[in-house]
Amino acid sequence: MVPRLTDARKELRRAQIAEAAVRCFGRNGLERTSIADITAESGLSAGSIYAHYRNKAELVQAAARAVLIKRAKVLGDYAASDTPPGPDELLARLIAAIDPAEARVGVQTWGEATTDPAIRHIVVDMTERMRAMLHDCVTAWLVRVENHRPDGAGERAAPIAHQLMARYQAELLYTALRSPTEETAP
């Protein structure tokens, strides 16, 4: 009899698989990565992977969400601090935290989004979530550091958050393009 996985163990296993997928996508590309590649990278069986993800599209979604969760934690901490960083400092911190493999996966996902409606939905959703988190950080900075009134800070933060998002995406693209896939090869 096979022991059942607890919910916590299932989430750890899903995260392990998603992290392996990010590494494979970053090294081989979305199109050239197979489930067999992810199986080898994760050290798990194909059955285990399919028990957690139905297909590669779900893995792409999980990989995108895993990256967003990392950024959400950082941005949430910034927004909650007594003295949130200003836009320039916030952008500098986000750029410093860019992982080249994750940047390559992000850019590849953007490319796939132009032809695959399911991937497009993921990209649009993740982009809007990231922009909303940036908006929260900028709003907190405007209120707590710049002493703006809370009722007007959100409106003022919107174009700043939009610019931050665009600059962050530009840095992701720059990082992806200057980081050849050969650098992760053994």
Side-chain angles (χ1 to χ4, degrees), residues 71-137:
R71 298 300 162 264
K73 168 81 174 98
V74 171
L75 292 172
D77 290 346
Y78 292 162
S81 76
D82 290 335
T83 53
D88 291 339
E89 178 64 20
L90 179 60
L91 183 62
R93 291 179 187 185
L94 285 170
I95 291 169
I98 292 174
D99 174 85
E102 291 175 359
R104 286 190 297 276
V105 172
V107 171
Q108 292 170 53
T109 305
W110 297 342
E112 288 291 316
T114 63
T115 58
D116 184 330
I119 301 297
R120 182 183 185 285
H121 175 74
I122 295 165
V123 169
V124 169
D125 180 56
M126 294 298 134
T127 301
E128 289 308 313
R129 288 178 189 222
M130 181 76 174
R131 188 185 334 265
M133 289 184 280
L134 289 168
H135 183 269
D136 291 347
C137 286

Side-chain angles (χ1 to χ4, degrees), residues 3-67:
R4 293 188 50 90
L5 292 174
T6 64
D7 287 344
R9 189 80 175 127
K10 284 180 189 176
E11 283 308 309
L12 283 173
R13 183 63 46 91
R14 286 179 63 83
Q16 177 185 3
I17 295 165
E19 289 168 8
V22 168
R23 290 190 300 273
C24 288
F25 294 151
R27 185 172 52 243
N28 305 328
L30 292 176
E31 191 63 34
R32 291 187 312 265
T33 295
S34 66
I35 294 296
D37 295 328
I38 297 167
T39 298
E41 183 75 24
S42 69
L44 300 171
S45 69
S48 181
I49 290 175
Y50 281 115
H52 295 283
Y53 297 99
R54 290 183 301 206
N55 52 41
K56 196 161 76 169
E58 279 191 4
L59 277 164
V60 170
Q61 184 174 22
R65 285 209 166 102
V67 172

